[in-house]
Amino acid sequence: MNHLVLEFLKVTQAAAIASNPWVGRGRKMEADDAATTAMREVLGQIQMDGVVVIGEGELDEAPMLYIGERLGSGQGPQLDIAVDPLEGTNLVAGGMNNSSAVIAIAPRGCLLHAPDMYMEKLAVGRGAAGAIDLEAPLIDNVRSTAAALGKTLGEMTVMVQYRDRHREAIQAIREAGARIRLFDDGDVTCSIASSIEGSGVDLFYGIGGAPEGVISAVAIKCLGGEMQARLLPSGDAEYDRCQAMGLGDPGQRLALGDMVRSDECIFAATGITSGLLLNGIHLQADGSLITHSLVTCGQPHGIHFVRSVHANRKAG
């Protein structure tokens, strides 16, 4: 499947470029529509038999990239596709940092079909893989991660989303002596940062969207990190959806292998506005655009940062 890596990179580049004109204009729906349309168009050209397992919503909620939509030529590898054409719609609308277009790919049947509900997530990089346990208190995980990385608690940085639901966790981490790095939106980018050397993030913790959790899990698996998660259904309907997915206990701890059941997977992201890992799109004097992307796939847990120049199609 690795021969398709550059094809999926083109997918995120197209979505990012399409949404770029909407940065800072306060119109998140238009930005998301532009990214979604561009992403779907490029996915339709790839030699594959793809099906969207995480997308813009159910068929009656989204006109394209809906869950269950088949994409590609219909020939080639059978793939599960998880997309977020515009991660951080509010960030783009407000002209704020950390928005991107992301996609994750795995062989058919290998991605958890996570419903749109909350998920508790804990993630670390390769150096601390095996040191976390979602069933243990959060501070125990901070301590065990520090030990695995050879750091003191005072040297630890934990990435947490700035939300009221995380208030107690933030306080506990600070009282233990570790640093907090808060973020607003951009759950995928911030969770995989713990698996990228030089990001300044040692551990990620938070309660956010389950679809974003599965997309993040693909990247973390490719990077050799570890992620554990737990679905948090809010009512009977969400509980029943979990059981329909085959989770007899919807509150069970999910290991990385439960969310991504193959080492043969691909993750790609292209920055729209500059952020923690990626630069935003830059317009040059000649009208060409520079994009900054990251791509990672399966073994041996490497990552590629890609700077691309896209010629001005209107020139001449």
Side-chain angles (χ1 to χ4, degrees), residues 125-156:
R126 190 188 321 177
I132 59 172
D133 180 0
L134 191 61
E135 301 290 355
L138 177 58
I139 297 308
D140 288 355
N141 283 285
V142 177
R143 291 192 179 101
S144 60
T145 300
L149 297 176
K151 293 187 173 186
T152 66
L153 281 175
E155 295 170 325
M156 285 288 292

Side-chain angles (χ1 to χ4, degrees), residues 19-297:
S19 65
N20 185 57
W22 298 101
V23 172
R25 300 189 183 276
R27 298 166 68 176
K28 66 179 183 180
M29 298 305 296
E30 287 85 348
D32 190 55
D33 287 345
T36 301
T37 300
M39 181 172 275
R40 182 176 183 266
E41 180 180 352
V42 180
L43 281 169
Q45 301 168 9
I46 298 176
Q47 293 296 307
M48 65 174 179
D49 177 9
V51 60
V52 177
V53 298
I54 291 175
E56 293 293 274
E58 304 289 350
L59 176 58
D60 59 350
E61 300 171 349
M64 62 183 74
L65 295 185
Y66 56 83
I67 297 170
E69 183 175 12
R70 302 190 79 91
L71 297 167
S73 66
Q75 300 178 343
Q78 295 183 327
L79 303 175
D80 280 351
I81 301 172
V83 301
D84 194 343
L86 202 171
E87 195 211 6
T89 54
N90 290 324
L91 300 177
V92 167
M96 297 180 285
N97 288 346
N98 230 35
S99 63
S100 60
V102 302
I103 191 167
I105 311 293
R108 181 72 49 80
C110 290
L111 291 184
L112 179 70
H113 296 194
D116 190 7
M117 66 177 64
Y118 276 133
M119 172 186 273
E120 186 178 17
K121 313 164 198 178
L122 190 64
V124 292
R126 190 188 321 177
I132 59 172
D133 180 0
L134 191 61
E135 301 290 355
L138 177 58
I139 297 308
D140 288 355
N141 283 285
V142 177
R143 291 192 179 101
S144 60
T145 300
L149 297 176
K151 293 187 173 186
T152 66
L153 281 175
E155 295 170 325
M156 285 288 292
T157 298
V158 183
M159 180 71 79
V160 183
Q161 191 174 25
Y162 186 46
R163 294 291 187 270
D164 284 344
R165 60 181 175 270
H166 296 142
R167 186 175 299 171
E168 291 184 6
I170 291 170
Q171 181 179 350
I173 293 167
R174 284 176 171 160
E175 287 179 352
R179 296 185 181 93
I180 289 284
R181 185 162 182 174
L182 297 173
F183 71 97
D184 191 30
D185 289 319
D187 191 291
V188 174
T189 296
C190 293
S191 60
I192 69 175
S194 61
S195 292
I196 297 179
E197 188 174 353
S199 70
V201 177
D202 300 305
L203 183 146
F204 172 90
Y205 173 78
I207 296 171
E212 291 85 352
V214 175
I215 295 173
S216 303
V218 173
I220 291 168
K221 189 175 185 69
C222 290
L223 292 166
E226 182 181 5
M227 177 177 177
Q228 295 183 13
R230 178 186 295 112
L231 289 168
L232 302 173
S234 63
D236 291 343
E238 291 188 353
Y239 188 93
D240 292 342
R241 287 196 67 180
C242 291
Q243 291 200 315
M245 292 162 51
L247 298 176
D249 176 12
Q252 71 188 63
R253 178 180 55 184
L254 299 171
L256 194 55
D258 297 318
M259 294 178 278
V260 189
R261 294 182 290 274
S262 173
D263 288 330
E264 191 178 3
C265 45
I266 298 170
F267 173 85
T270 299
I272 302 169
T273 57
S274 294
L276 179 62
L277 302 178
L278 295 169
N279 297 326
I281 295 175
H282 175 68
L283 174 65
Q284 300 197 104
D286 63 359
S288 61
L289 296 173
I290 296 177
T291 59
H292 189 215
S293 308
L294 69 84
V295 181
T296 183
C297 52

